């Protein structure tokens, strides 16, 4: 079963599973338009001295018409202007002096224009077109869901084999000293697959723009953040699923507000400042900063949002934190912007003309790794945003019925599709890189992601611009966990793969070739044959490995009656075969009614 979330959360269809059951999740009331794609994937954009402090008394009680503003000064200059906030009809809610940002509240419609006249104030901008919720002044703690145990056991999922995370674990599963921040809707820290790696000491809520460190404030007000967290670092404990980096630590910084699940600029600023001050090596950001899908510098409010969030990201990076972000799910060319019809999403959206000067934040900020989504097999996901010079790298996000399977609150598991699901794969690989290269700076991790990515050329689609090594659909290529961590500990044996889909028709025999070169002598007695065959009845199938001289090694022979798919690594004694040459995976379908696809296969010598 599937249900839709909103177009601003960069994820889409969900199926939830616990103890083998499935249930549909209804969309929360605050979620709105679905992204324009065939499957309606949506956009989830789901303690140091410099942490936010309150420098003037906040209102004693909420009042209708309260709006939030960013008041921007030179870094270190907030105290000189904070006194003017009250005299101009506002109150200071939080201050980030290290970057020169005050979060102010006011019911006065002239507050912003009045503050712009104050000496030392560089910019002022409203962060929303709706009222600040009353909950901001006395936030309720998110629900603490009852936990279900699971009979599900870990397996090699398509997304993990596609990025070779299962092979990278032979090098490292990640270091417990590496902290990854999930800036999202929150995380269910009691989930059986997340609890072993959860770091409560560095978790908080940044909803409304000020850190709330009460126990449980970080918990999920939806499902999105828990799903993201599992993709990054679900524990390798025999239960449910395994994350890309199952040995690192996860911290939750909830930046989504309850009910609406919107991610306003002050929340994002708080999240980035928290990441910098708490030593996060990587953060994942599968959302865009509400209420504007794109913020334009010729609008005084949006210019302040851009500047405030940019400074916070720069601060976090300066403290050693790399930000990874989802590109979005509107199948939109970010390198050729023309219109925005989804903003503002906290009131009434209007269609406006925009240019490339308008940016999606945080994903288009300098230094942020922008991630596009791939489907099973590696093609661009139908919904994924794209853009030459904007997309940095691509990763599995799922598409259609082939979603990304991960954790959900309450001990559950389920599928989601979206660039929200692609981004945490890259964040997880970044955490693995940091684990094997503990002195790497954010820039070095970012470079390593690109250098080790597997080049993917543009398909026959005129929208894809660029070269094989860097283009608008895949950036520098598909993220590769094995190559990303292989610089210090080379993986054993040479590796070859074929990611081209081959259709398996009824009562037919098909083959998929791999050309092996550069390997000395014969194949090993432990030749690994990785197979990803999608078929609705594998009892129909006989699968053979055909050596270059025509010798046939049967690896599957009509077993698995009533079972779907063969996603497995087989070991073949091919020691009598010369390694170099054309090897083939031959699949023979022996019955009618059920068909499928060779999605991918590989050889490791």
């Amino acid at each position: 079963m599937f249900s839709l979330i909103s177009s601003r959360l960069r994820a889409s269809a969900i199926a939830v599973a616990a103890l083998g059951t499935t249930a549909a999740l209804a969309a929360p009331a605050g979620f709105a338009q679905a992204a324009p794609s065939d499957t309606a994937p949506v956009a989830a954009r789901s303690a140091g001295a410099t942490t936010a402090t309150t420098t003037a008394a906040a209102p004693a009680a909420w009042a209708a018409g309260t709006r939030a503003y960013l008041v921007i000064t030179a870094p270190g200059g907030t105290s000189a202007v904070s006194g003017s906030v009250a005299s101009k009809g506002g109150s200071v809610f939080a201050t980030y002096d290290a970057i020169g940002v005050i979060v102010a509240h006011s019911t006065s419609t002239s507050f912003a224009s009045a503050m712009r006249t104050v000496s030392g104030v560089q910019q002022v901008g409203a962060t929303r077109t709706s009222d600040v919720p009353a909950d901001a002044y006395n936030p309720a703690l998110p629900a603490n869901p009852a936990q279900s145990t699971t009979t599900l056991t870990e397996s090699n999922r398509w997304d993990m084999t596609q990025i070779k995370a299962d092979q990278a674990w032979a090098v490292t599963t990640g270091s417990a000293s590496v902290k990854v921040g999930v800036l999202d809707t929150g995380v269910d820290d009691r989930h059986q697959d997340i609890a072993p790696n959860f770091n409560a000491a560095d978790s908080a809520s940044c909803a409304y723009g000020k850190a709330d460190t009460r126990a449980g404030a970080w918990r999920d007000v939806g499902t999105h953040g828990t799903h993201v967290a599992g993709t990054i670092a679900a524990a390798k404990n025999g239960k449910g699923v395994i994350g890309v980096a199952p040995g690192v630590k996860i911290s939750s910084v909830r930046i989504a507000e309850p009910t609406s699940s919107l991610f306003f600029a002050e929340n994002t600023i708080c999240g980035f400042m928290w990441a910098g001050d708490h030593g996060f090596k990587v953060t994942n950001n599968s959302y865009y900063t509400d209420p504007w899908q794109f913020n334009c510098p010729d609008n005084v409010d949006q210019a302040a949002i851009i500047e405030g969030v940019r400074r916070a990201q720069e601060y976090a990076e300066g403290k050693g934190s790399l930000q990874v972000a989802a590109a979005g799910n509107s199948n939109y060319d970010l390198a050729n912007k023309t219109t925005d019809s989804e903003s503002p999403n906290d009131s009434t959206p209007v269609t406006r003309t925009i240019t490339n000067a308008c940016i999606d934040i945080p994903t288009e900020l300098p230094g942020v790794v922008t991630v596009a989504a791939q489907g099973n097999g590696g093609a661009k996901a139908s919904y994924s945003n794209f853009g030459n010079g904007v997309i940095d790298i691509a990763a599995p996000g799922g598409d259609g019925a082939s979603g990304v399977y991960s954790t959900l609150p309450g001990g559950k598991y389920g599928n989601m599709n979206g660039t929200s699901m692609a981004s945490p794969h890259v964040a997880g690989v970044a955490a693995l890189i940091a684990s094997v290269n503990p002195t790497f700076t954010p820039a070095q991790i970012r470079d390593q992601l690109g250098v080790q990515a597997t080049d993917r050329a543009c398909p026959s689609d005129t929208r894809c611009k660029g070269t094989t090594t860097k283009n608008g659909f895949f950036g520098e290529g598909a993220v590769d966990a094995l190559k990303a961590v292989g610089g210090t500990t080379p993986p054993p044996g040479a590796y070859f793969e074929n990611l081209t889909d081959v259709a398996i028709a009824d009562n037919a025999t098909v083959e998929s070739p791999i050309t092996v070169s550069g390997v000395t002598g014969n194949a090993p007695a432990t030749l690994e044959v990785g197979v990803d065959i999608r078929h609705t009845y594998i009892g129909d199938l006989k699968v053979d490995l055909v050596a270059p001289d025509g010798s046939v090694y049967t690896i599957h022979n009509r077993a698995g009656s009533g079972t779907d798919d063969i996603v497995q690594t087989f070991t073949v004694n091919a020691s009598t075969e010369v390694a170099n040459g054309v090897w083939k995976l031959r699949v023979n379908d022996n019955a009618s009614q059920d068909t499928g696809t060779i999605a991918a296969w590989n050889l490791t010598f």
Side-chain angles (χ1 to χ4, degrees):
M1 293 183 177
F2 298 96
S3 64
L4 298 180
I5 310 179
S6 85
S7 61
R8 29 155 322 282
L9 277 181
R10 299 195 156 175
S12 70
I14 305 179
V16 186
L19 297 173
T21 63
T22 60
L25 293 183
F31 292 162
Q33 314 89 344
S37 66
D38 293 341
T39 56
V42 294
R45 283 301 229 180
S46 155
T50 55
T51 298
T53 56
T54 301
T55 57
W62 176 84
T66 299
R67 297 293 171 89
Y69 300 85
L70 300 182
V71 178
I72 298 177
T73 72
T78 58
S79 59
V81 304
S82 60
S84 299
V85 172
S87 67
K88 302 298 182 182
S91 60
V92 173
F93 188 73
T95 300
Y96 299 93
D97 192 54
I99 61 170
V101 172
I102 297 171
V103 179
H105 289 176
S106 179
T107 58
S108 171
T109 57
S110 61
F111 174 76
S113 57
M115 282 301 300
R116 292 182 187 118
T117 67
V118 174
S119 177
V121 172
Q122 298 175 346
Q123 296 184 65
V124 181
T127 65
R128 54 185 83 203
T129 63
S130 58
D131 288 1
V132 175
D135 184 66
Y137 299 117
N138 186 24
L141 288 174
N144 187 2
Q147 299 294 313
S148 300
T149 57
T150 184
T151 58
L152 298 170
T153 57
E154 296 167 346
S155 60
N156 287 335
R157 308 190 316 277
W158 72 267
D159 54 316
M160 295 299 165
T161 58
Q162 186 163 303
I163 69 170
K164 304 189 188 79
D166 54 333
Q167 297 176 59
W169 298 329
V171 179
T172 181
T173 55
S175 169
S177 65
V178 172
K179 302 176 187 176
V180 180
V182 177
L183 277 59
D184 213 292
T185 61
V187 173
D188 179 4
D189 55 298
R190 296 173 61 238
H191 191 291
Q192 60 213 341
D193 243 342
I194 292 175
N197 292 335
F198 192 77
N199 173 20
D202 294 306
S203 296
S205 168
C206 272
Y208 311 116
K210 182 166 59 178
D212 179 352
T213 60
R214 292 176 298 163
W218 57 71
R219 291 200 174 113
D220 211 330
V221 295
T223 59
H224 188 268
T226 300
H227 193 278
V228 164
T231 297
I232 297 170
K236 201 170 188 292
N237 57 4
K239 303 174 183 177
V241 299
I242 311 172
V244 176
V248 305
K249 292 298 182 183
I250 282 288
S251 297
S252 172
V253 183
R254 177 168 64 86
I255 60 172
E257 297 181 5
T259 307
S260 69
S261 283
L262 296 180
F263 301 68
F264 292 102
E266 59 268 36
N267 311 0
T268 303
I269 290 169
C270 173
F272 286 159
M273 298 299 289
W274 183 272
D277 288 336
H278 289 258
F280 293 177
K281 201 68 176 177
V282 183
T283 71
N284 186 80
N285 302 269
S286 291
Y287 61 93
Y288 69 75
T289 302
D290 298 300
W292 307 99
Q293 182 182 22
F294 301 104
N295 285 271
C296 299
D298 59 354
N299 177 287
V300 290
D301 293 321
Q302 294 164 39
I305 290 172
I306 294 171
E307 181 64 11
V309 178
R310 183 198 66 78
R311 289 188 188 187
Q313 192 292 124
E314 188 176 73
Y315 177 87
E317 184 168 348
K319 291 282 189 175
S321 178
L322 175 68
Q323 276 57 252
V324 179
N329 298 349
S330 298
N331 195 23
Y332 193 100
D333 187 352
L334 297 175
N336 293 283
K337 302 184 184 83
T338 56
T339 58
D340 172 14
S341 59
E342 297 184 19
S343 307
N345 64 4
D346 66 334
S347 54
T348 303
V350 296
T351 298
R352 56 180 181 149
T353 301
I354 61 172
T355 69
N356 285 347
C358 303
I359 60 173
D360 178 341
I361 60 175
T363 197
E364 288 192 87
L365 290 175
V368 175
V369 177
T370 305
V371 183
Q374 297 172 283
N376 187 352
K380 172 192 171 296
S382 60
Y383 53 79
S384 181
N385 285 356
F386 57 97
N388 194 25
V390 179
I391 301 301
D392 291 312
I393 199 164
D399 205 1
S402 189
V404 172
Y405 192 70
S406 187
T407 49
L408 293 171
K412 299 181 176 67
Y413 299 84
N415 289 298
M416 291 189 187
N417 296 330
T419 55
S420 280
M421 286 57 257
S423 182
H425 285 89
V426 175
V429 174
L432 292 179
I433 293 172
S435 297
V436 297
N437 302 281
T439 63
F440 267 22
T441 64
Q444 288 173 311
I445 298 173
R446 186 166 54 242
D447 289 346
Q448 183 83 342
L449 285 168
V451 168
Q452 300 301 333
T454 300
D455 291 341
R456 286 195 64 94
C458 282
S460 55
D461 188 326
T462 58
R463 298 174 302 163
C464 185
K465 310 295 183 183
T467 65
T468 298
T469 57
K470 190 167 186 178
N471 57 63
F473 275 17
F474 308 106
E476 293 192 69
V479 70
D480 189 312
L482 180 62
K483 287 193 286 186
V485 301
T488 55
T489 307
Y495 180 84
F496 303 86
E497 66 181 352
N498 188 333
L499 298 176
T500 302
D501 288 353
V502 178
I504 305 169
D506 283 332
N507 294 297
T509 298
V510 297
E511 293 181 341
S512 176
I514 288 178
T515 300
V516 174
S517 61
V519 179
T520 303
N522 285 4
T526 56
L527 177 64
E528 293 184 3
V529 185
V531 175
D532 186 351
I533 294 175
R534 304 296 161 155
H535 196 278
T536 52
Y537 195 87
I538 65 173
D540 291 354
L541 302 182
K542 181 174 181 288
V543 182
D544 299 314
L545 175 68
V546 183
D549 68 354
S551 299
V552 175
Y553 298 83
T554 298
I555 58 176
H556 174 91
N557 193 2
R558 304 195 68 175
S561 177
T563 305
D564 295 349
D565 304 338
I566 305 172
V567 183
Q568 187 176 346
T569 298
F570 301 89
T571 300
V572 173
N573 183 352
S575 57
T576 62
E577 306 291 342
V578 174
N580 292 334
V582 179
W583 296 73
K584 298 176 183 177
L585 189 72
R586 178 181 294 162
V587 180
N588 173 231
D589 185 296
N590 292 277
S592 300
Q593 299 182 352
D594 290 277
T595 60
T597 302
I598 303 175
W601 74 287
N602 57 68
L603 293 170
T604 304
F605 288 81

